[in-house]
Amino acid sequence: MIQFPEINSKIQFLKKEKEVELHLLREDLIHPTISGNKFRKLKYNLIEFTKGNYSALLTFGGAYSNHISATAAAGKEFKIPTIGIIRGEEFELKFPENPTLKFAKNCGMKLKFISREQYKNKTNPDFLDQLKSEFGEIYILPEGGTNHLAVEGCEEILNQQTKEFDYICCAVGTGGTISGIINSAKKHQKIIGFPALKDSDFLNDEIKNWTGRSNFMLVSDYHFGGYAKVNPELIDFINEFKDQFDVTLDAVYTGKMMFGLDQLIKNGFFSSNTKVLAVHTGGIQGNEGMNQKLNKRNKTLIL
Ligand SMILES: *Cc1c(COP(=O)(O)O)cnc(C)c1O
């Protein structure tokens, strides 16, 4: 049985601008390798795993996935065999130069590379049965790690110290994390999500699968062209943020959220004397892979 300590992340004051106080919940500091919201999402799934008779925990992700990285790290730490189904056959040959996959492999994760076409079957029951016949009694965690146990884990992101805030902001991928935050928010709190994907229309319905509450809104103007797409303005923002607050953001999720949130404050979206809490969901491992790509294109790197 895995015993997890109770974690209360520290809250860092960032700045007061336009009479709005901005603070940061440092979920990125929860664990050195099982970072941020991925720890929250894994927690009850790992407990569930140990209750059953499973031979391995299998999950899905792209070649730079924070979820793959965190699952592999958790497998190593809690001695659970892990299997990663990776999107893109081309990474089978290239993977020694991919920092995320190299890390996952070193943690003991077994990697299986499939084509982008095949990967689309990731929730198809026949495909999952096929994986079960290949790998045995596996515990299957969906892409991004979102299921009802993951949402339950994310309900623990907010705590006693976060009660005083009027707004809670977070980056959104599959919607699991924001759903947990929505569920555990106080009645007076509003949640703002910043989708990292361009086509995020599905998210409102997806979030409704996990919560009956409507105390949230999505601001979809800050995806920077799509998932994992970046431009020099975003990278400059991330580097200035590091300089000013000594906090590293990632370019896929938290950098875009903080950029968008900064714009909302500057545009007068919040009334004066509002207290805003942004959640740093981690994901810093992705910066190494992002910098490899930026470097190939001779662009400014993330510091
Ligand atoms: C995965 C991830 C998210 C998105 O979480 P969802 O539960 O999929 O919405 C946000 N921030 C970071 C750093 C992540 O790694």
Side-chain angles (χ1 to χ4, degrees):
M1 200 34 210
I2 308 175
Q3 289 291 348
F4 294 101
E6 197 191 319
I7 312 161
N8 272 346
S9 304
K10 78 168 197 196
I11 296 174
Q12 178 178 350
F13 171 75
L14 295 180
K15 63 177 177 179
K16 188 164 183 173
E17 187 179 353
K18 298 218 161 195
E19 296 301 307
V20 175
E21 262 186 44
L22 179 60
H23 300 244
L24 189 63
L25 184 66
R26 300 294 307 274
E27 288 277 296
D28 56 315
L29 302 177
I30 283 182
H31 190 281
T33 51
I34 316 171
S35 134
N37 66 334
K38 298 306 184 279
F39 182 94
R40 301 287 186 186
K41 295 173 90 168
L42 282 166
K43 178 180 167 184
Y44 290 108
N45 280 294
L46 296 174
I47 291 173
E48 189 64 24
F49 179 96
T50 60
K51 287 185 193 160
N53 236 334
Y54 301 103
S55 56
L57 191 157
L58 177 143
T59 195
F60 303 84
Y64 299 92
S65 161
N66 294 332
H67 169 63
I68 288 291
S69 175
T71 304
K76 182 177 176 191
E77 176 140 340
F78 304 114
K79 302 191 171 50
I80 291 173
T82 56
I83 301 164
I85 308 295
I86 308 299
R87 183 180 71 232
E89 285 163 316
E90 71 273 21
F91 288 104
E92 177 131 39
L93 295 170
K94 288 202 297 196
F95 97 83
E97 60 184 73
N98 175 301
T100 303
L101 298 177
K102 196 165 63 183
F103 173 79
K105 179 112 187 151
N106 284 340
C107 287
M109 182 178 256
K110 187 184 277 179
L111 300 175
K112 179 181 167 78
F113 298 87
I114 64 176
S115 70
R116 281 150 211 275
E117 209 46 50
Q118 258 184 308
Y119 191 85
K120 289 181 186 152
N121 296 324
K122 61 186 184 280
T123 58
N124 178 318
D126 289 340
F127 181 58
L128 299 180
D129 280 345
Q130 217 176 299
L131 290 172
K132 281 180 192 159
S133 55
E134 182 173 350
F135 293 110
E137 269 304 299
I138 44 175
Y139 184 99
I140 298 178
L141 204 51
E143 181 181 51
T146 293
N147 58 15
H148 75 278
L149 291 174
V151 173
E152 208 176 294
C154 291
E155 289 171 6
E156 296 174 358
I157 292 173
L158 299 185
N159 59 49
Q160 284 297 100
Q161 281 73 46
T162 63
K163 282 201 303 206
E164 60 174 300
F165 292 92
D166 305 299
Y167 285 88
I168 317 285
C169 303
C170 72
V172 181
T174 63
T177 303
I178 193 172
S179 296
I181 292 174
I182 290 167
N183 283 338
S184 62
K186 296 290 164 195
K187 274 211 183 74
H188 68 92
Q189 295 180 315
K190 286 212 168 59
I191 319 304
I192 305 179
F194 293 85
L197 294 91
K198 187 158 138 189
D199 301 311
S200 56
D201 291 346
F202 75 96
L203 272 173
N204 273 301
D205 285 342
E206 180 63 24
I207 292 169
K208 281 186 198 131
N209 287 333
W210 309 115
T211 180
R213 302 180 75 184
S214 52
N215 51 340
F216 73 96
M217 63 181 277
L218 299 176
V219 175
S220 6
D221 309 322
Y222 299 100
H223 53 69
F224 287 80
Y227 187 75
K229 298 265 196 306
V230 300
N231 69 14
E233 197 185 6
L234 177 67
I235 303 300
D236 287 348
F237 175 85
I238 289 171
N239 288 341
E240 276 160 32
F241 194 91
K242 166 88 181 178
D243 214 42
Q244 200 175 352
F245 305 116
D246 197 27
V247 176
T248 304
L249 301 172
D250 81 299
V252 179
Y253 294 103
T254 57
K256 292 179 180 181
M257 168 199 60
M258 283 309 311
F259 186 101
L261 182 51
D262 200 52
Q263 291 295 311
L264 292 190
I265 293 172
K266 291 191 163 67
N267 296 340
F269 173 87
F270 301 103
S271 46
S272 51
N273 297 318
T274 302
K275 291 184 85 172
V276 179
L277 182 67
V279 182
H280 192 323
T281 38
I284 301 310
Q285 71 84 28
N287 284 358
E288 196 183 338
M290 182 60 74
N291 274 341
Q292 278 185 356
K293 291 191 241 175
L294 291 169
N295 194 32
K296 276 186 195 145
R297 291 184 235 141
N298 268 322
K299 304 277 196 213
T300 307
L301 305 186
I302 302 164
L303 300 175

